[in-house]
Amino acid sequence: ADDWIVWNGSSTSITTFVSPQPVEATDNAFWDQFWADTATSVQDVFALVPAAEIRAVREESPSNLATLCYKAVEKLVQGAESGCHTEKERQIVLNCCRLLTRILPYIFEDPDWRGFFWSTVPGAGRGGGDEDDENARPLAESLLLAVTDLLFCPDFTVQSHRRSTVDTAEDIHSIDSCEYIWEAGVGFAHSPQPNYIHDLNRTELLKLLLTCFSEAMYLPPSSDSSNTNPWVQFFCSTENRHALPLFTSLLNVVCAYDPVGYGIPYNHLLFSDYREPLVEEAAQVLIVTLDYDSSTSSSPTVDGTTTGTAMDDVDPPGPDNLFVNYLSRIHREEDFQFILKGVARLLSNPLVQTYLPNSAKKIQFHQELLVLFWKLCDFNKKFLFFVLKSSDVLDILVPILYFLNDARADQSRVGLMHIGVFILLLLSGERNFGVRLNKPYSVRVPMDIPVFTGTHADLLIIVFHKIITSGHQRLQPLFDCLLTIVVNVSPYLKSLSMVAANKLLHLLEAFSTTWFLFSAVQNHHLVFFLLEVFNNIIQYQFDGNSNLVYAVIRKRNVFHQLANLPTDSQSIQKGLQRKKKTPEPISRTNSQDGVSMEGSRPAAPAEPGTLKTSLVATPGIDKLTEKSQVSEDGTMRSLEPEASQLSPEGNPSAALSDGEPWSGEASHSRRERRRLSSASSSGQWTPTPDWVMSWKSKLPLQTIMRLLQVLVPQVEKICIDKGLTDESEILKFLQHGTLVGLLPVPHPILIRKYQANSGTAMWFRTYMWGVIYLRNVDPPIWYDTDVKLFEIQRV
């Protein structure tokens, strides 16, 4: 308890505080010393109030801890009522803020205390009979309302609009906080004068809000999406009169932030940037308030009407969470432009290469930005269409591919890999995304990938190939998603470079080895996805894709081997024996990697000892997506799951059952598989001839076999006639060739669109809180408390 003495200089009071003897709530002299106007920082409070002490008070003198919390909230309420006009009042408010930020996690970690803030404090009236109804408010509500009032408190957190002395200062209850929005942007045109004291005060209050919301970290992950966070629920309800200006302030502060400053190199080393901590805190509070499972609710559609429940006429339009509601209702083009430009500028920041090393400031909150971008696209379809309407979407794509490539070898960044892939899966469900990828890629961001000349589609394929062939083992569940993205965009790719074409064929070669196909029950799905890519390009984009056609001809033996895949028990066993000799999941040989781009560093694994948080499993690709068919005029119609099962045999891609997930699949397909493949006594799955036959017969090889049948003799003839060994002549021939009338009837294009589901909602919750936990190290708000939502692990 010695540490507490330093803080307020009275040792007797501390022993009193920790002793089981309750101290009266009315003993103001005793309580006031906790927030006396000595200037402390939040770091001081964390150092002076050790975890062991808080737990000791919680166990041995619970009534004193309860009174401390109640009195600290009371001080915040008084500060909010008075408008914090004096320096002393502001100091008290900040100290109470820091103290509550320190103590709340220890309240949340104990199930017996969790309800404490939702109870009312009996007989603790603030005087004055007319306030009795006010006192019936649970402590949590009083706390949240006081903090929101304080976030729009003139001369404390916002610029005062009056040039006056104290006596005529604005009354905090009569001001319209919409006039005090913190930054220009969505719905607000005026950019207030920057004031670093206001930024610091806002940051402290937002840190307390985030700590209030963090009760979610102390509950184990559950698939029950009705499990709403009561703090967030109240904060984002109509009870919060500042909900709209606060939502707008947080969004605008994030999207307007420019870390590079005024273009002066090294300026971030010369003076401290007070904006950045505020922007980080704002981004974290924003994504937590938007933690909302859209799959279970009536979500507003593009035209603003709601869908999804049988009682639409009874339901209010959109969700009760006002932040989600406001986000889904943003619709002005200039607002979309402001948000997209801001997010793209911040995501690209780590990629900005300057000639002077370390001369530009690098931001660290790209994971929060990716979650925010995901929420924007998921809750506001008009925003999604706006993003895809122009090639601005590529300003989001390139940073995501950079992060994916950079993190592929790092076990501590699996979450970042997942969210990057989820965003690309969501975008790839829209035709425009595939079309935009044809734009030539000229920005040269140094990346550890082979040098190539081509389009953004080439970049995407080359990075995906790199992830699959040289990422770490835990990325395997993402292979389905990566290839689904390539399938979704493939019908629109006008001309792949030779480098990208070779990468696709290298993947097919790797995935169609017998040991890979026979070693796990879902591995053959990857071959189906790749064949679908080749079929889409050959049928719909043959003309510009001579590189791919040439690569297919050169590697024709891979397709012949697939067509002649052995199905007898002996060959299956032989194939599996080969696996024991080749431990690597995919060999990196013969992928002709060539030289990496200049200035790039190889993707590095995590430093040993790096902290990471565990994640819940993601749903399989069949739960993540639903199939849509693209009709002649380019519109999509959703295919009912039954329809896609009963597809005509002549339609190879529809007969392909979707990649079975890596976790939790339909019991029907599980039964089917159990029938076709025998499980050995150890419960180990083993492949059987029936099982191999069941999918081999559906391999969509017709189109490619026909192409080979027509073109191979012609190419061989040219080589013999002209004694050619030069591929440019063959490519010229293929460029001018045509297969019109020679190929099977084109299959309908199938797109697998992301669909919201409670599995991903839970994944996002654990990922987001894991990021927030690890990023808040100064002070370490949740460190060493008993969190239940995830485990903290060391690499």
Side-chain angles (χ1 to χ4, degrees):
D2 294 347
D3 296 339
W4 290 56
I5 304 164
V6 187
W7 194 11
N8 51 42
S10 140
S11 62
T12 51
S13 59
I14 291 307
T15 17
T16 325
F17 183 57
V18 185
S19 78
Q21 196 55 48
V23 180
E24 286 301 318
T26 48
D27 185 351
N28 287 332
F30 175 81
W31 297 108
D32 284 349
Q33 59 199 338
F34 285 100
W35 30 84
D37 49 355
T38 49
T40 54
S41 69
V42 67
Q43 286 79 5
D44 293 342
V45 173
F46 271 68
L48 295 169
V49 185
E53 302 273 306
I54 304 174
R55 290 192 176 112
V57 176
R58 188 183 69 196
E59 304 310 323
E60 285 147 43
S61 33
S63 75
N64 286 349
L65 182 60
T67 308
L68 181 67
C69 292
Y70 162 68
K71 298 295 280 188
V73 172
E74 185 184 52
K75 283 288 172 211
L76 290 180
V77 171
Q78 287 167 1
E81 305 240 304
S82 72
C84 277
H85 296 305
T86 66
E87 196 44 53
K88 182 176 176 180
E89 283 177 288
R90 290 173 199 157
Q91 203 51 64
I92 288 175
V93 161
L94 290 172
N95 279 341
C96 288
C97 209
R98 293 158 185 160
L99 192 62
L100 286 166
T101 302
R102 180 59 171 145
I103 289 174
L104 274 166
Y106 298 91
I107 300 264
F108 294 151
E109 74 174 359
D110 184 335
D112 296 339
W113 274 85
R114 218 164 281 145
F116 168 69
F117 269 85
W118 295 95
S119 57
T120 48
V121 182
R126 290 199 294 273
D130 56 338
E131 286 189 28
D132 277 352
D133 55 335
E134 189 57 33
N135 287 328
R137 266 201 190 288
L139 207 48
E141 296 186 3
S142 306
L143 171 54
L144 290 171
L145 293 176
V147 172
T148 50
D149 275 342
L150 287 163
L151 285 168
F152 292 99
C153 183
D155 288 326
F156 181 52
T157 49
V158 291
Q159 216 69 53
S160 169
H161 290 189
R162 305 230 180 137
R163 298 183 176 78
S164 64
T165 55
V166 172
D167 38 32
T168 57
E170 295 112 310
D171 168 21
I172 196 161
H173 292 290
S174 62
I175 68 169
D176 173 6
S177 44
C178 286
E179 293 171 14
Y180 291 85
I181 288 170
W182 302 349
E183 186 56 78
V186 177
F188 195 65
H190 164 68
S191 187
Q193 199 52 43
N195 180 318
Y196 79 94
I197 299 285
H198 293 174
D199 278 0
L200 290 173
N201 295 341
R202 291 164 177 171
T203 305
E204 298 232 33
L205 287 160
L206 290 179
K207 213 181 269 303
L208 173 56
L209 271 183
L210 197 58
T211 311
C212 291
F213 298 158
S214 72
E215 184 178 335
M217 281 197 217
Y218 297 90
L219 302 169
S222 82
S223 51
D224 178 16
S225 48
S226 60
N227 208 342
T228 46
N229 182 330
W231 295 85
V232 173
Q233 196 176 6
F234 180 80
F235 181 78
C236 297
S237 73
T238 47
E239 295 269 0
N240 177 357
R241 71 187 182 101
H242 303 294
L244 181 59
L246 199 48
F247 168 77
T248 319
S249 294
L250 296 172
L251 184 63
N252 292 354
V253 155
V254 172
C255 295
Y257 178 56
D258 184 359
V260 178
Y262 306 95
I264 310 159
Y266 297 106
N267 72 352
H268 64 290
L269 301 177
L270 303 179
F271 56 85
S272 186
D273 175 359
Y274 293 99
R275 224 344 110 99
E276 190 181 19
L278 174 65
V279 175
E280 289 204 2
E281 215 67 54
Q284 292 178 359
V285 169
L286 203 49
I287 60 178
V288 169
T289 52
L290 296 170
D291 176 18
Y292 182 81
D293 183 357
S294 57
S295 66
T296 57
S297 61
S298 58
S299 55
T301 51
V302 180
D303 57 354
T305 55
T306 57
T307 56
T309 55
M311 310 187 306
D312 274 342
D313 47 357
V314 190
D315 273 348
D320 326 324
N321 176 324
L322 289 180
F323 278 39
V324 175
N325 205 334
Y326 297 145
L327 187 76
S328 66
R329 288 184 7 216
I330 298 173
H331 60 91
R332 291 188 344 201
E333 295 259 317
E334 56 268 42
D335 289 343
F336 287 157
Q337 190 60 36
F338 165 75
I339 295 170
L340 180 58
K341 278 272 181 277
V343 173
R345 176 177 58 243
L346 291 168
L347 284 178
S348 309
N349 162 272
L351 289 61
V352 174
Q353 291 294 325
T354 48
Y355 295 106
L356 303 165
N358 304 324
S359 64
K361 187 182 179 95
K362 294 259 188 280
I363 61 155
Q364 300 298 321
F365 55 98
H366 48 273
Q367 299 192 85
E368 293 92 323
L369 287 165
L370 290 171
V371 176
L372 178 60
F373 183 76
W374 169 271
K375 300 282 182 194
L376 281 155
C377 294
D378 195 19
F379 294 149
N380 190 323
K381 288 293 169 263
K382 282 184 179 165
F383 177 74
L384 177 62
F385 299 141
F386 176 84
V387 169
L388 293 165
K389 202 173 69 175
S390 74
S391 51
D392 287 350
V393 65
L394 302 175
D395 298 336
I396 299 285
L397 169 75
V398 172
I400 288 178
L401 291 175
Y402 172 85
F403 293 131
L404 291 178
N405 188 56
D406 189 53
R408 67 177 194 267
D410 184 341
Q411 294 257 2
S412 69
R413 293 197 281 168
V414 177
L416 170 62
M417 298 292 295
H418 276 76
I419 187 165
V421 172
F422 283 160
I423 290 174
L424 298 183
L425 179 64
L426 180 71
L427 295 174
S428 75
E430 308 297 331
R431 173 182 178 273
N432 263 354
F433 182 65
V435 174
R436 299 283 161 238
L437 290 178
N438 291 307
K439 187 175 176 181
Y441 176 66
S442 50
V443 207
R444 286 285 170 245
V445 175
M447 280 163 89
D448 173 28
I449 53 171
V451 180
F452 71 97
T453 305
T455 65
H456 285 75
D458 294 309
L459 176 68
L460 178 124
I461 288 167
I462 292 167
V463 169
F464 283 10
H465 172 269
K466 201 81 166 156
I467 293 168
I468 291 172
T469 56
S470 65
H472 56 78
Q473 286 287 211
R474 291 191 49 211
L475 297 179
Q476 211 159 339
L478 281 175
F479 292 1
D480 270 354
C481 268
L482 291 168
L483 293 186
T484 298
I485 294 164
V486 181
V487 173
N488 282 347
V489 301
S490 59
Y492 311 111
L493 304 183
K494 293 199 180 328
S495 76
L496 286 183
S497 69
M498 190 59 94
V499 178
N502 284 334
K503 296 301 179 206
L504 286 175
L505 277 139
H506 175 238
L507 289 179
L508 183 70
E509 210 174 351
F511 289 149
S512 57
T513 58
T514 47
W515 72 255
F516 185 77
L517 285 173
F518 297 158
S519 63
V521 75
Q522 70 285 346
N523 282 356
H524 62 278
H525 295 301
L526 300 172
V527 169
F528 276 83
F529 284 137
L530 284 163
L531 292 175
E532 201 176 337
V533 171
F534 297 135
N535 288 337
N536 282 342
I537 293 177
I538 292 165
Q539 289 280 20
Y540 292 98
Q541 299 289 350
F542 179 82
D543 287 351
N545 273 299
S546 51
N547 287 331
L548 183 77
V549 173
Y550 178 62
V552 167
I553 291 173
R554 275 190 46 225
K555 293 282 185 186
R556 55 190 178 278
N557 62 325
V558 180
F559 299 97
H560 290 302
Q561 280 166 4
L562 266 175
N564 301 314
L565 189 72
T567 55
D568 58 290
S569 303
Q570 209 180 347
S571 306
I572 292 176
Q573 283 317 308
K574 214 155 103 188
L576 289 170
Q577 291 310 309
R578 221 167 285 165
K579 179 185 184 184
K580 296 193 173 71
K581 295 181 202 131
T582 346
E584 265 300 296
I586 290 180
S587 73
R588 306 196 38 200
T589 49
N590 72 21
S591 89
Q592 308 129 337
D593 246 13
V595 190
S596 274
M597 292 175 66
E598 195 183 336
S600 67
R601 291 193 317 274
E607 291 285 318
T610 307
L611 287 179
K612 66 188 180 79
T613 53
S614 62
L615 292 161
V616 292
T618 51
I621 195 75
D622 62 339
K623 298 267 191 304
L624 268 180
T625 55
E626 62 178 6
K627 288 188 190 152
S628 298
Q629 198 168 307
V630 181
S631 45
E632 300 284 316
D633 60 356
T635 55
M636 286 192 199
R637 61 184 186 84
S638 174
L639 290 180
E640 288 308 307
E642 297 76 42
S644 61
Q645 295 307 315
L646 309 169
S647 61
E649 278 311 299
N651 171 352
S653 63
L656 148 66
S657 72
D658 250 19
E660 253 125 23
W662 303 80
S663 58
E665 62 261 37
S667 53
H668 164 71
S669 57
R670 222 181 292 152
R671 274 202 306 278
E672 191 62 9
R673 280 215 308 268
R674 212 172 291 136
R675 192 175 64 73
L676 293 171
S677 56
S678 62
S680 63
S681 53
S682 64
Q684 196 78 51
W685 170 85
T686 52
T688 63
D690 282 355
W691 172 76
V692 179
M693 281 303 296
S694 72
W695 55 261
K696 180 189 166 181
S697 59
K698 296 188 185 130
L699 283 168
L701 288 165
Q702 299 90 318
T703 301
I704 293 168
M705 289 308 187
R706 185 78 186 118
L707 172 134
L708 292 172
Q709 201 185 348
V710 173
L711 292 179
V712 170
Q714 298 183 351
V715 170
E716 283 175 342
K717 188 173 185 314
I718 294 176
C719 293
I720 295 164
D721 291 355
K722 303 196 175 170
L724 276 186
T725 48
D726 177 21
E727 50 184 53
S728 61
E729 282 292 321
I730 301 168
L731 283 169
K732 207 175 293 174
F733 162 74
L734 291 173
Q735 265 159 11
H736 300 299
T738 174
L739 289 174
V740 172
L742 296 173
L743 291 177
V745 178
H747 54 279
I749 296 174
L750 274 190
I751 301 293
R752 292 170 183 80
K753 287 171 79 98
Y754 168 81
Q755 54 171 352
N757 61 79
S758 46
T760 36
M762 195 63 229
W763 184 88
F764 271 97
R765 183 173 304 162
T766 52
Y767 170 61
M768 168 184 81
W769 279 114
V771 168
I772 291 171
Y773 178 98
L774 292 173
R775 298 258 300 107
N776 282 274
V777 286
D778 183 28
I781 302 182
W782 300 281
Y783 191 69
D784 269 348
T785 60
D786 188 13
V787 294
K788 294 278 197 295
L789 185 61
F790 44 76
E791 288 170 31
I792 292 92
Q793 303 158 336
R794 281 190 191 278
V795 173

